[in-house]
Amino acid sequence: MIDHLSFSRRQLLGGMAVATGTSLLPGAYAHAATRAASSSATASASASEQPQRFCIRNATVLTMEPGQTAMENTDVWVVDGRIEAVGQGLAAEGAESIDGRGCIVMPGLVDTHNHMWQTQMRGMFAQREGALFFPLTNRLAEHFRPEDTWVGEYLAAMENVSAGITTSNDFFDNNRNPEHSAAALEALAHSPLRARLLLGNESKTAKNGIDLERLRELNRGWEGHSENGRLSLGLAWRLPEDLDDLEAMAMKRREYDTARELELPIAVHVSGEAHHAMFARLVEGEFLHPSVQVVHATDARGEHLDALNAAGASVALTPITEHRVAYGLTRLSHFAAVERLGLGIDGNALAGSADMFAVMRTAALTEIAASGDQTAVDCQALLALATSRAAESIGLGDQIGTLTPGKQADVIMLDTRALNLGMLPSDPAALLVFAATPANVSLVAVQGRIAKRDGHMVGLDSDELQARVTDSLDHLRQYLA
Ligand SMILES: [Zn+2]
Protein backbone atom coordinates (compact mmCIF):
# COMPACT_ATOMS: atom_id res chain seq x y z
CA MET A 1 0.00 0.00 0.00
CA ILE A 2 1.42 3.37 -0.93
CA ASP A 3 -0.88 5.81 0.71
CA HIS A 4 1.09 8.88 -0.26
CA LEU A 5 0.23 8.20 -3.87
CA SER A 6 -3.43 7.84 -3.22
CA PHE A 7 -6.26 10.08 -4.18
CA SER A 8 -8.84 11.07 -1.66
CA ARG A 9 -12.48 10.56 -2.53
CA ARG A 10 -12.93 14.33 -2.32
CA GLN A 11 -10.18 14.87 -4.85
CA LEU A 12 -11.64 12.24 -7.11
CA LEU A 13 -15.11 13.69 -7.02
CA GLY A 14 -13.80 17.20 -7.35
CA GLY A 15 -11.73 16.21 -10.34
CA MET A 16 -14.61 14.51 -12.05
CA ALA A 17 -16.91 17.42 -11.47
CA VAL A 18 -14.70 19.80 -13.41
CA ALA A 19 -13.99 17.31 -16.17
CA THR A 20 -16.38 16.66 -19.01
CA GLY A 21 -19.02 13.98 -18.80
CA THR A 22 -16.81 11.71 -20.84
CA SER A 23 -13.91 11.81 -18.42
CA LEU A 24 -12.16 8.61 -17.54
CA LEU A 25 -9.50 10.29 -15.47
CA PRO A 26 -9.70 12.10 -12.23
CA GLY A 27 -8.99 15.74 -12.89
CA ALA A 28 -6.98 16.21 -9.74
CA TYR A 29 -3.95 14.39 -8.46
CA ALA A 30 -3.01 13.96 -4.87
CA HIS A 31 0.16 15.81 -4.16
CA ALA A 32 3.03 13.70 -2.95
CA ALA A 33 2.53 15.10 0.52
CA THR A 34 -1.06 13.94 0.77
CA ARG A 35 -1.24 10.97 3.08
CA ALA A 36 -4.86 10.22 3.64
CA ALA A 37 -7.09 7.87 1.76
CA SER A 38 -6.61 4.28 0.83
CA SER A 39 -5.65 3.49 -2.74
CA SER A 40 -8.70 1.31 -3.28
CA ALA A 41 -10.81 4.36 -4.09
CA THR A 42 -8.56 5.15 -7.04
CA ALA A 43 -8.77 1.72 -8.59
CA SER A 44 -12.55 1.69 -8.56
CA ALA A 45 -12.70 5.21 -9.99
CA SER A 46 -11.11 4.36 -13.30
CA ALA A 47 -12.78 0.98 -13.55
CA SER A 48 -16.26 2.28 -12.87
CA GLU A 49 -16.33 4.61 -15.86
CA GLN A 50 -18.67 3.22 -18.44
CA PRO A 51 -17.42 2.58 -21.97
CA GLN A 52 -18.95 4.93 -24.48
CA ARG A 53 -20.95 4.42 -27.63
CA PHE A 54 -19.92 6.56 -30.53
CA CYS A 55 -19.71 6.54 -34.29
CA ILE A 56 -17.04 8.46 -36.18
CA ARG A 57 -18.64 9.41 -39.48
CA ASN A 58 -17.36 10.03 -43.00
CA ALA A 59 -13.66 9.62 -42.29
CA THR A 60 -10.83 8.17 -44.33
CA VAL A 61 -10.38 4.85 -42.53
CA LEU A 62 -7.31 2.66 -42.42
CA THR A 63 -8.43 -0.56 -40.74
CA MET A 64 -4.88 -2.00 -41.05
CA GLU A 65 -6.38 -5.38 -41.85
CA PRO A 66 -4.10 -7.23 -44.28
CA GLY A 67 -4.68 -6.18 -47.87
CA GLN A 68 -7.19 -3.49 -46.93
CA THR A 69 -6.45 -0.05 -48.40
CA ALA A 70 -7.86 3.28 -47.24
CA MET A 71 -11.66 3.48 -47.21
CA GLU A 72 -13.24 6.88 -47.98
CA ASN A 73 -16.39 8.34 -46.35
CA THR A 74 -16.44 5.50 -43.89
CA ASP A 75 -17.88 5.19 -40.38
CA VAL A 76 -16.34 3.48 -37.36
CA TRP A 77 -18.93 2.44 -34.78
CA VAL A 78 -17.91 1.64 -31.21
CA VAL A 79 -20.14 -0.08 -28.67
CA ASP A 80 -19.22 -1.12 -25.13
CA GLY A 81 -15.49 -0.84 -25.67
CA ARG A 82 -15.37 -2.82 -28.90
CA ILE A 83 -15.50 -2.12 -32.61
CA GLU A 84 -19.09 -2.84 -33.62
CA ALA A 85 -18.78 -2.15 -37.35
CA VAL A 86 -16.75 -0.35 -40.00
CA GLY A 87 -18.59 0.72 -43.14
CA GLN A 88 -20.52 3.40 -44.98
CA GLY A 89 -23.73 4.94 -43.69
CA LEU A 90 -23.96 2.88 -40.50
CA ALA A 91 -27.20 3.36 -38.54
CA ALA A 92 -25.40 3.29 -35.19
CA GLU A 93 -28.50 3.92 -33.14
CA GLY A 94 -27.94 5.42 -29.73
CA ALA A 95 -24.32 6.27 -30.52
CA GLU A 96 -22.85 9.75 -30.29
CA SER A 97 -21.96 10.99 -33.78
CA ILE A 98 -18.43 12.33 -34.23
CA ASP A 99 -17.61 14.17 -37.44
CA GLY A 100 -14.72 12.45 -39.18
CA ARG A 101 -14.70 14.55 -42.35
CA GLY A 102 -11.17 15.63 -43.23
CA CYS A 103 -9.76 13.09 -40.82
CA ILE A 104 -7.90 9.79 -40.93
CA VAL A 105 -9.16 7.12 -38.51
CA MET A 106 -6.97 4.14 -37.72
CA PRO A 107 -6.11 1.72 -34.92
CA GLY A 108 -4.19 3.16 -31.99
CA LEU A 109 -0.41 2.97 -32.33
CA VAL A 110 1.30 0.10 -30.51
CA ASP A 111 4.61 0.85 -28.81
CA THR A 112 6.27 -2.53 -28.43
CA HIS A 113 9.06 -1.36 -26.11
CA ASN A 114 9.32 1.46 -23.60
CA HIS A 115 10.87 2.37 -20.23
CA MET A 116 8.22 4.70 -18.91
CA TRP A 117 9.51 5.18 -15.36
CA GLN A 118 12.31 7.57 -16.38
CA THR A 119 10.29 10.11 -18.38
CA GLN A 120 10.82 13.17 -16.19
CA MET A 121 14.59 12.90 -16.74
CA ARG A 122 14.11 13.80 -20.41
CA GLY A 123 15.60 17.27 -20.09
CA MET A 124 18.78 16.02 -18.39
CA PHE A 125 20.22 14.11 -21.33
CA ALA A 126 22.50 15.58 -23.98
CA GLN A 127 25.07 14.29 -26.46
CA ARG A 128 28.15 15.11 -24.36
CA GLU A 129 30.14 13.41 -21.63
CA GLY A 130 28.43 13.82 -18.28
CA ALA A 131 24.97 14.01 -19.80
CA LEU A 132 24.85 10.76 -21.75
CA PHE A 133 21.84 8.58 -21.21
CA PHE A 134 23.18 5.38 -19.66
CA PRO A 135 25.55 6.73 -16.98
CA LEU A 136 23.10 9.42 -15.93
CA THR A 137 20.14 7.07 -15.76
CA ASN A 138 22.10 4.47 -13.83
CA ARG A 139 23.21 7.14 -11.36
CA LEU A 140 19.78 8.66 -10.74
CA ALA A 141 17.78 5.42 -10.82
CA GLU A 142 18.81 4.47 -7.30
CA HIS A 143 17.46 7.75 -5.94
CA PHE A 144 14.00 7.20 -7.35
CA ARG A 145 11.27 7.23 -4.73
CA PRO A 146 7.91 5.54 -5.41
CA GLU A 147 6.41 8.92 -6.26
CA ASP A 148 9.16 9.52 -8.83
CA THR A 149 8.22 6.21 -10.42
CA TRP A 150 4.58 7.31 -10.40
CA VAL A 151 5.47 10.59 -12.09
CA GLY A 152 7.60 8.98 -14.80
CA GLU A 153 5.03 6.32 -15.59
CA TYR A 154 2.09 8.69 -15.56
CA LEU A 155 3.82 11.36 -17.66
CA ALA A 156 4.73 8.77 -20.27
CA ALA A 157 1.29 7.22 -20.24
CA MET A 158 -0.42 10.56 -20.81
CA GLU A 159 2.09 11.63 -23.44
CA ASN A 160 1.73 8.31 -25.23
CA VAL A 161 -2.04 8.47 -25.38
CA SER A 162 -1.96 12.09 -26.47
CA ALA A 163 0.43 11.06 -29.26
CA GLY A 164 -1.91 8.34 -30.50
CA ILE A 165 -0.13 5.45 -28.77
CA THR A 166 -2.83 3.35 -27.15
CA THR A 167 -0.63 0.43 -26.04
CA SER A 168 2.86 0.35 -24.52
CA ASN A 169 4.97 -2.64 -23.56
CA ASP A 170 6.65 -1.13 -20.51
CA PHE A 171 10.04 -2.56 -19.50
CA PHE A 172 10.11 -1.56 -15.82
CA ASP A 173 13.76 -1.93 -14.89
CA ASN A 174 13.88 0.32 -11.86
CA ASN A 175 11.77 -1.96 -9.70
CA ARG A 176 13.47 -1.08 -6.43
CA ASN A 177 10.90 -2.58 -4.07
CA PRO A 178 7.19 -3.47 -4.01
CA GLU A 179 6.24 0.17 -3.41
CA HIS A 180 7.78 1.07 -6.76
CA SER A 181 5.87 -1.56 -8.69
CA ALA A 182 2.71 -0.50 -6.83
CA ALA A 183 3.37 3.11 -7.85
CA ALA A 184 3.92 2.11 -11.48
CA LEU A 185 0.70 0.11 -11.49
CA GLU A 186 -1.26 2.90 -9.89
CA ALA A 187 0.01 5.40 -12.46
CA LEU A 188 -0.93 3.08 -15.33
CA ALA A 189 -4.33 2.38 -13.81
CA HIS A 190 -5.02 6.10 -13.60
CA SER A 191 -3.98 6.73 -17.15
CA PRO A 192 -6.13 5.64 -20.07
CA LEU A 193 -3.20 3.75 -21.69
CA ARG A 194 -3.33 0.03 -22.41
CA ALA A 195 -0.07 -1.26 -21.02
CA ARG A 196 1.87 -4.31 -20.06
CA LEU A 197 4.06 -3.83 -17.02
CA LEU A 198 7.15 -5.99 -17.47
CA LEU A 199 8.56 -6.38 -14.00
CA GLY A 200 12.35 -6.19 -13.84
CA ASN A 201 15.00 -5.91 -11.19
CA GLU A 202 16.03 -2.97 -9.08
CA SER A 203 18.19 -1.34 -11.70
CA LYS A 204 19.95 -2.05 -14.94
CA THR A 205 23.25 -2.56 -13.15
CA ALA A 206 21.91 -4.48 -10.16
CA LYS A 207 23.54 -7.77 -9.31
CA ASN A 208 20.44 -8.86 -7.41
CA GLY A 209 17.79 -10.87 -9.10
CA ILE A 210 14.21 -9.91 -9.81
CA ASP A 211 11.80 -10.13 -6.88
CA LEU A 212 10.09 -13.30 -8.07
CA GLU A 213 7.82 -13.49 -5.04
CA ARG A 214 6.46 -10.08 -5.97
CA LEU A 215 5.96 -11.28 -9.54
CA ARG A 216 4.04 -14.33 -8.30
CA GLU A 217 1.99 -12.25 -5.89
CA LEU A 218 1.04 -9.73 -8.57
CA ASN A 219 0.21 -12.51 -10.98
CA ARG A 220 -2.02 -14.27 -8.41
CA GLY A 221 -4.01 -11.13 -7.76
CA TRP A 222 -3.84 -9.72 -11.26
CA GLU A 223 -7.57 -9.49 -11.68
CA GLY A 224 -7.52 -6.69 -9.12
CA HIS A 225 -4.97 -4.78 -11.19
CA SER A 226 -5.99 -5.49 -14.75
CA GLU A 227 -8.52 -2.66 -15.18
CA ASN A 228 -10.82 -4.82 -17.25
CA GLY A 229 -7.98 -6.35 -19.22
CA ARG A 230 -6.37 -3.01 -20.08
CA LEU A 231 -3.26 -3.78 -18.02
CA SER A 232 -1.23 -6.97 -18.15
CA LEU A 233 1.91 -8.33 -16.55
CA GLY A 234 5.20 -9.73 -17.80
CA LEU A 235 8.90 -10.13 -17.06
CA ALA A 236 11.57 -7.53 -17.89
CA TRP A 237 14.45 -9.93 -18.18
CA ARG A 238 18.18 -9.41 -18.77
CA LEU A 239 21.04 -11.74 -19.47
CA PRO A 240 23.91 -11.37 -16.97
CA GLU A 241 26.52 -8.75 -17.84
CA ASP A 242 29.13 -11.51 -17.74
CA LEU A 243 27.71 -14.38 -19.77
CA ASP A 244 30.32 -16.74 -18.29
CA ASP A 245 29.23 -16.06 -14.71
CA LEU A 246 27.55 -19.39 -13.98
CA GLU A 247 25.94 -18.26 -10.75
CA ALA A 248 24.40 -15.19 -12.38
CA MET A 249 23.26 -17.28 -15.32
CA ALA A 250 21.56 -19.77 -12.98
CA MET A 251 19.72 -16.90 -11.31
CA LYS A 252 18.62 -15.56 -14.69
CA ARG A 253 17.37 -18.99 -15.67
CA ARG A 254 15.27 -19.15 -12.50
CA GLU A 255 13.70 -15.82 -13.43
CA TYR A 256 13.01 -16.99 -16.95
CA ASP A 257 11.58 -20.31 -15.75
CA THR A 258 9.28 -18.54 -13.31
CA ALA A 259 7.83 -16.34 -16.05
CA ARG A 260 7.36 -19.35 -18.31
CA GLU A 261 5.69 -21.28 -15.47
CA LEU A 262 3.32 -18.34 -14.91
CA GLU A 263 2.80 -18.05 -18.69
CA LEU A 264 3.91 -14.43 -18.64
CA PRO A 265 5.46 -12.65 -21.63
CA ILE A 266 9.19 -11.96 -21.42
CA ALA A 267 11.23 -9.14 -22.98
CA VAL A 268 15.03 -9.22 -23.17
CA HIS A 269 17.56 -6.72 -24.54
CA VAL A 270 20.12 -7.83 -27.07
CA SER A 271 22.31 -4.78 -27.48
CA GLY A 272 25.66 -3.22 -26.76
CA GLU A 273 29.11 -4.57 -27.44
CA ALA A 274 28.29 -8.18 -26.54
CA HIS A 275 25.08 -8.35 -28.53
CA HIS A 276 26.15 -11.21 -30.82
CA ALA A 277 27.20 -13.28 -27.80
CA MET A 278 23.92 -12.41 -26.06
CA PHE A 279 21.84 -13.56 -29.00
CA ALA A 280 23.96 -16.72 -29.25
CA ARG A 281 23.24 -17.42 -25.59
CA LEU A 282 19.49 -17.01 -26.16
CA VAL A 283 19.71 -19.57 -28.96
CA GLU A 284 22.03 -22.03 -27.19
CA GLY A 285 20.19 -21.75 -23.88
CA GLU A 286 16.91 -22.50 -25.67
CA PHE A 287 15.43 -19.32 -24.30
CA LEU A 288 13.66 -18.36 -27.53
CA HIS A 289 9.92 -19.01 -27.39
CA PRO A 290 6.71 -17.36 -28.66
CA SER A 291 6.40 -15.54 -25.31
CA VAL A 292 9.86 -13.98 -25.72
CA GLN A 293 10.53 -10.59 -27.30
CA VAL A 294 14.11 -9.66 -28.27
CA VAL A 295 14.73 -5.92 -28.13
CA HIS A 296 17.07 -4.11 -30.58
CA ALA A 297 19.31 -6.89 -31.99
CA THR A 298 20.42 -4.16 -34.37
CA ASP A 299 22.71 -6.11 -36.70
CA ALA A 300 21.81 -9.61 -35.57
CA ARG A 301 23.31 -12.49 -37.51
CA GLY A 302 21.08 -14.21 -40.04
CA GLU A 303 21.38 -17.55 -38.28
CA HIS A 304 20.19 -16.00 -35.02
CA LEU A 305 17.18 -14.40 -36.69
CA ASP A 306 16.42 -17.75 -38.34
CA ALA A 307 16.49 -19.41 -34.90
CA LEU A 308 14.23 -16.67 -33.56
CA ASN A 309 11.70 -17.25 -36.35
CA ALA A 310 11.84 -21.00 -35.89
CA ALA A 311 11.09 -20.59 -32.18
CA GLY A 312 8.26 -18.11 -32.84
CA ALA A 313 9.87 -15.31 -30.81
CA SER A 314 9.55 -11.64 -31.76
CA VAL A 315 11.74 -8.56 -32.25
CA ALA A 316 11.19 -4.95 -31.17
CA LEU A 317 13.05 -2.24 -33.09
CA THR A 318 13.40 1.27 -31.71
CA PRO A 319 15.28 3.15 -34.45
CA ILE A 320 15.40 6.56 -32.78
CA THR A 321 17.00 5.37 -29.55
CA GLU A 322 19.14 2.78 -31.32
CA HIS A 323 20.62 5.62 -33.34
CA ARG A 324 20.88 8.00 -30.39
CA VAL A 325 23.00 5.60 -28.34
CA ALA A 326 24.96 4.50 -31.44
CA TYR A 327 23.91 0.85 -31.52
CA GLY A 328 24.24 1.07 -35.30
CA LEU A 329 21.94 1.67 -38.23
CA THR A 330 18.53 0.09 -37.85
CA ARG A 331 17.88 -1.37 -41.29
CA LEU A 332 14.36 -2.62 -41.91
CA SER A 333 15.67 -4.76 -44.74
CA HIS A 334 17.86 -6.61 -42.25
CA PHE A 335 14.71 -7.79 -40.46
CA ALA A 336 12.62 -8.43 -43.57
CA ALA A 337 12.42 -12.16 -42.82
CA VAL A 338 11.43 -11.72 -39.17
CA GLU A 339 7.84 -12.82 -38.87
CA ARG A 340 6.93 -11.16 -35.59
CA LEU A 341 8.26 -7.61 -35.65
CA GLY A 342 7.17 -4.29 -34.17
CA LEU A 343 8.43 -0.75 -33.58
CA GLY A 344 8.79 0.99 -30.24
CA ILE A 345 9.72 4.22 -28.49
CA ASP A 346 12.20 2.80 -25.93
CA GLY A 347 11.82 5.51 -23.31
CA ASN A 348 10.12 8.80 -24.11
CA ALA A 349 13.09 10.45 -22.39
CA LEU A 350 15.75 8.84 -24.58
CA ALA A 351 13.67 8.96 -27.77
CA GLY A 352 12.97 12.64 -27.11
CA SER A 353 9.23 12.16 -27.29
CA ALA A 354 6.55 9.54 -27.75
CA ASP A 355 6.41 10.18 -31.47
CA MET A 356 5.67 6.93 -33.34
CA PHE A 357 5.39 8.89 -36.58
CA ALA A 358 9.01 9.96 -36.09
CA VAL A 359 9.96 6.36 -35.28
CA MET A 360 8.43 5.21 -38.57
CA ARG A 361 10.02 8.14 -40.40
CA THR A 362 13.45 7.37 -38.96
CA ALA A 363 13.14 3.74 -40.01
CA ALA A 364 12.05 4.79 -43.50
CA LEU A 365 14.76 7.42 -44.01
CA THR A 366 17.48 5.13 -42.70
CA GLU A 367 16.51 2.39 -45.12
CA ILE A 368 16.21 4.77 -48.07
CA ALA A 369 19.53 6.48 -47.36
CA ALA A 370 21.44 3.28 -46.67
CA SER A 371 20.04 1.42 -49.68
CA GLY A 372 20.25 4.33 -52.09
CA ASP A 373 16.78 3.35 -53.27
CA GLN A 374 13.88 5.77 -52.84
CA THR A 375 11.40 2.94 -53.36
CA ALA A 376 12.97 0.77 -50.66
CA VAL A 377 10.19 1.55 -48.19
CA ASP A 378 6.50 0.63 -48.28
CA CYS A 379 4.70 3.08 -46.00
CA GLN A 380 1.68 0.84 -45.51
CA ALA A 381 4.03 -1.91 -44.34
CA LEU A 382 5.73 0.55 -41.99
CA LEU A 383 2.38 1.55 -40.56
CA ALA A 384 1.66 -2.13 -39.91
CA LEU A 385 4.85 -2.31 -37.82
CA ALA A 386 3.31 0.34 -35.56
CA THR A 387 -0.20 -1.18 -35.48
CA SER A 388 -1.27 -4.65 -36.63
CA ARG A 389 2.13 -6.36 -36.71
CA ALA A 390 3.21 -4.57 -33.55
CA ALA A 391 0.15 -5.88 -31.72
CA GLU A 392 0.77 -9.37 -33.03
CA SER A 393 4.44 -9.20 -32.03
CA ILE A 394 3.54 -8.62 -28.38
CA GLY A 395 0.86 -11.29 -28.36
CA LEU A 396 -2.13 -8.94 -28.49
CA GLY A 397 -3.03 -9.35 -32.14
CA ASP A 398 -6.38 -10.95 -31.35
CA GLN A 399 -7.41 -7.92 -29.27
CA ILE A 400 -5.93 -4.81 -30.88
CA GLY A 401 -3.93 -3.56 -33.87
CA THR A 402 -6.69 -3.42 -36.50
CA LEU A 403 -10.15 -1.88 -36.70
CA THR A 404 -11.97 -5.20 -36.86
CA PRO A 405 -15.47 -5.81 -35.46
CA GLY A 406 -15.18 -7.56 -32.13
CA LYS A 407 -11.73 -6.21 -31.32
CA GLN A 408 -11.03 -3.70 -28.58
CA ALA A 409 -11.90 -0.16 -29.64
CA ASP A 410 -8.44 1.38 -29.50
CA VAL A 411 -8.98 4.04 -32.13
CA ILE A 412 -7.23 7.26 -33.12
CA MET A 413 -8.18 10.08 -35.44
CA LEU A 414 -5.86 12.60 -37.10
CA ASP A 415 -7.13 15.87 -38.51
CA THR A 416 -5.56 16.33 -41.93
CA ARG A 417 -6.61 19.98 -42.07
CA ALA A 418 -3.64 20.96 -39.91
CA LEU A 419 -1.04 23.25 -41.49
CA ASN A 420 1.58 20.49 -41.65
CA LEU A 421 -0.76 18.06 -43.39
CA GLY A 422 -2.85 20.43 -45.43
CA MET A 423 -5.31 18.21 -47.22
CA LEU A 424 -6.75 14.78 -47.41
CA PRO A 425 -4.03 12.74 -49.05
CA SER A 426 -4.16 10.32 -51.92
CA ASP A 427 -1.78 8.08 -49.98
CA PRO A 428 -2.62 8.37 -46.28
CA ALA A 429 0.12 5.95 -45.23
CA ALA A 430 2.87 8.05 -46.84
CA LEU A 431 1.46 11.20 -45.24
CA LEU A 432 1.36 9.56 -41.81
CA VAL A 433 4.94 8.28 -42.09
CA PHE A 434 6.54 11.39 -43.56
CA ALA A 435 4.46 14.31 -42.30
CA ALA A 436 2.28 13.53 -39.29
CA THR A 437 3.18 14.46 -35.72
CA PRO A 438 1.47 13.72 -32.39
CA ALA A 439 -0.09 17.19 -32.56
CA ASN A 440 -2.23 15.98 -35.47
CA VAL A 441 -3.89 13.35 -33.28
CA SER A 442 -7.26 14.91 -32.48
CA LEU A 443 -9.08 11.97 -30.89
CA VAL A 444 -7.96 8.88 -29.01
CA ALA A 445 -10.09 6.11 -27.55
CA VAL A 446 -8.81 3.15 -25.56
CA GLN A 447 -11.24 0.31 -24.82
CA GLY A 448 -13.86 2.56 -26.36
CA ARG A 449 -13.33 5.30 -23.79
CA ILE A 450 -12.42 8.66 -25.26
CA ALA A 451 -9.19 9.90 -23.70
CA LYS A 452 -8.44 12.73 -26.13
CA ARG A 453 -11.03 14.78 -27.93
CA ASP A 454 -10.72 17.85 -30.13
CA GLY A 455 -6.98 17.72 -29.56
CA HIS A 456 -7.19 17.86 -25.75
CA MET A 457 -6.67 15.17 -23.16
CA VAL A 458 -9.91 14.53 -21.30
CA GLY A 459 -9.77 15.26 -17.58
CA LEU A 460 -6.06 16.05 -17.43
CA ASP A 461 -5.15 18.66 -14.84
CA SER A 462 -1.83 19.88 -16.21
CA ASP A 463 -1.11 22.18 -13.26
CA GLU A 464 -1.42 19.39 -10.72
CA LEU A 465 0.67 17.06 -12.83
CA GLN A 466 3.30 19.75 -13.34
CA ALA A 467 3.52 20.24 -9.58
CA ARG A 468 4.32 16.57 -9.11
CA VAL A 469 6.84 16.63 -11.95
CA THR A 470 8.56 19.67 -10.42
CA ASP A 471 8.70 18.00 -7.03
CA SER A 472 10.25 14.90 -8.58
CA LEU A 473 12.81 16.89 -10.54
CA ASP A 474 13.74 18.93 -7.46
CA HIS A 475 14.43 15.66 -5.69
CA LEU A 476 16.41 14.04 -8.52
CA ARG A 477 18.50 17.12 -9.34
CA GLN A 478 20.18 16.87 -5.93
CA TYR A 479 22.05 13.85 -7.28
CA LEU A 480 23.08 15.33 -10.60
CA ALA A 481 26.36 16.86 -9.49
ZN1 LIG B 1 15.02 -0.89 -23.69
Side-chain angles (χ1 to χ4, degrees):
M1 195 67 75
I2 39 165
D3 58 0
H4 54 292
L5 291 170
S6 301
F7 296 46
S8 72
R9 181 156 291 278
R10 182 189 58 77
Q11 284 166 315
L12 279 172
L13 294 175
M16 286 189 187
V18 297
T20 71
T22 54
S23 169
L24 63 149
L25 285 169
Y29 312 93
H31 191 269
T34 306
R35 292 173 175 273
S38 88
S39 61
S40 58
T42 63
S44 61
S46 45
S48 67
E49 295 292 325
Q50 291 302 308
Q52 298 155 353
R53 293 175 173 230
F54 61 87
C55 186
I56 303 174
R57 297 203 175 271
N58 302 307
T60 296
V61 175
L62 292 171
T63 65
M64 295 313 297
E65 287 178 337
Q68 178 74 60
T69 51
M71 300 156 74
E72 302 296 334
N73 295 315
T74 296
D75 304 343
V76 176
W77 182 16
V78 170
V79 176
D80 295 338
R82 293 183 186 274
I83 306 287
E84 179 74 10
V86 177
Q88 293 193 328
L90 299 177
E93 269 178 46
E96 178 196 352
S97 247
I98 296 173
D99 189 359
R101 286 176 296 176
C103 296
I104 296 171
V105 173
M106 61 180 290
L109 300 166
V110 177
D111 162 25
T112 66
H113 181 71
N114 208 320
H115 300 258
M116 292 166 60
W117 61 269
Q118 56 194 223
T119 308
Q120 69 269 49
M121 293 195 286
R122 170 163 29 209
M124 297 177 179
F125 307 124
Q127 302 309 107
R128 57 180 162 73
E129 292 300 331
L132 293 177
F133 176 76
F134 287 120
L136 203 55
T137 313
N138 294 344
R139 178 140 54 95
L140 293 186
E142 66 178 282
H143 300 292
F144 263 59
R145 306 162 301 177
E147 56 260 44
D148 301 314
T149 295
W150 192 98
V151 165
E153 293 279 337
Y154 190 74
L155 256 183
M158 297 308 275
E159 184 193 359
N160 291 1
V161 169
S162 184
I165 293 169
T166 50
T167 298
S168 284
N169 203 27
D170 182 18
F171 198 100
F172 180 46
D173 52 349
N174 194 26
N175 182 26
R176 312 202 66 76
N177 56 48
E179 291 196 341
H180 283 264
S181 50
L185 275 173
E186 190 163 313
L188 293 172
H190 272 288
S191 86
L193 182 72
R194 184 185 301 281
R196 177 182 291 151
L197 187 72
L198 299 156
L199 212 69
N201 62 358
E202 77 186 57
S203 79
K204 185 168 180 282
T205 53
K207 297 280 182 265
N208 304 337
I210 291 165
D211 183 350
L212 295 177
E213 266 321 298
R214 176 66 173 156
L215 187 70
R216 286 181 184 280
E217 177 200 328
L218 281 173
N219 186 59
R220 263 196 307 274
W222 192 253
E223 211 153 297
H225 295 292
S226 84
E227 298 288 317
N228 241 342
R230 182 166 60 83
L231 304 182
S232 57
L233 183 67
L235 180 73
W237 192 54
R238 283 187 193 276
L239 287 166
E241 279 193 316
D242 176 3
L243 292 170
D244 297 324
D245 182 338
L246 294 180
E247 205 176 312
M249 200 64 225
M251 180 179 76
K252 293 297 173 184
R253 189 172 282 280
R254 277 197 299 279
E255 295 172 352
Y256 175 92
D257 288 345
T258 301
R260 288 287 306 279
E261 177 204 325
L262 302 177
E263 298 184 341
L264 293 174
I266 300 166
V268 58
H269 289 82
V270 167
S271 56
E273 281 175 18
H275 67 281
H276 287 313
M278 292 167 90
F279 214 142
R281 184 55 60 94
L282 291 180
V283 176
E284 290 154 12
E286 299 186 342
F287 290 117
L288 296 174
H289 179 268
S291 63
V292 173
Q293 177 200 50
V294 173
V295 182
H296 306 312
T298 304
D299 56 352
R301 295 192 174 120
E303 77 230 39
H304 290 160
L305 293 177
D306 289 346
L308 175 128
N309 268 342
S314 67
V315 172
L317 299 178
T318 66
I320 289 182
T321 65
E322 286 155 3
H323 291 186
R324 186 168 185 185
V325 299
Y327 281 162
L329 284 185
T330 304
R331 297 284 305 272
L332 286 174
S333 57
H334 191 75
F335 297 91
V338 173
E339 285 160 25
R340 299 181 60 213
L341 185 68
L343 296 173
I345 299 290
D346 192 22
N348 299 11
L350 178 60
S353 64
D355 187 344
M356 269 308 247
F357 306 104
V359 169
M360 290 188 277
R361 194 174 307 136
T362 301
L365 294 173
T366 306
E367 189 57 42
I368 291 167
S371 67
D373 177 3
Q374 294 178 62
T375 67
V377 162
D378 174 345
C379 289
Q380 185 75 19
L382 254 171
L383 219 48
L385 290 178
T387 53
S388 51
R389 289 191 66 194
E392 200 283 324
S393 81
I394 58 169
L396 296 177
D398 58 339
Q399 296 179 49
I400 56 166
T402 61
L403 298 182
T404 303
K407 278 197 183 181
Q408 294 282 312
D410 290 8
V411 182
I412 66 173
M413 181 160 92
L414 292 94
D415 193 335
T416 65
R417 292 161 294 194
L419 286 173
N420 68 309
L421 298 181
M423 64 189 74
L424 210 55
S426 54
D427 185 342
L431 190 82
L432 290 168
V433 169
F434 284 104
T437 77
N440 300 127
V441 176
S442 57
L443 180 139
V444 178
V446 182
Q447 272 185 333
R449 296 183 301 181
I450 294 178
K452 187 179 189 184
R453 184 190 277 263
D454 300 325
H456 297 285
M457 291 297 284
V458 174
L460 172 66
D461 187 329
S462 304
D463 293 341
E464 285 287 341
L465 179 56
Q466 192 57 51
R468 289 186 76 162
V469 173
T470 302
D471 172 73
S472 176
L473 285 173
D474 285 347
H475 167 72
L476 293 172
R477 281 202 190 98
Q478 301 172 73
Y479 308 99
L480 265 182

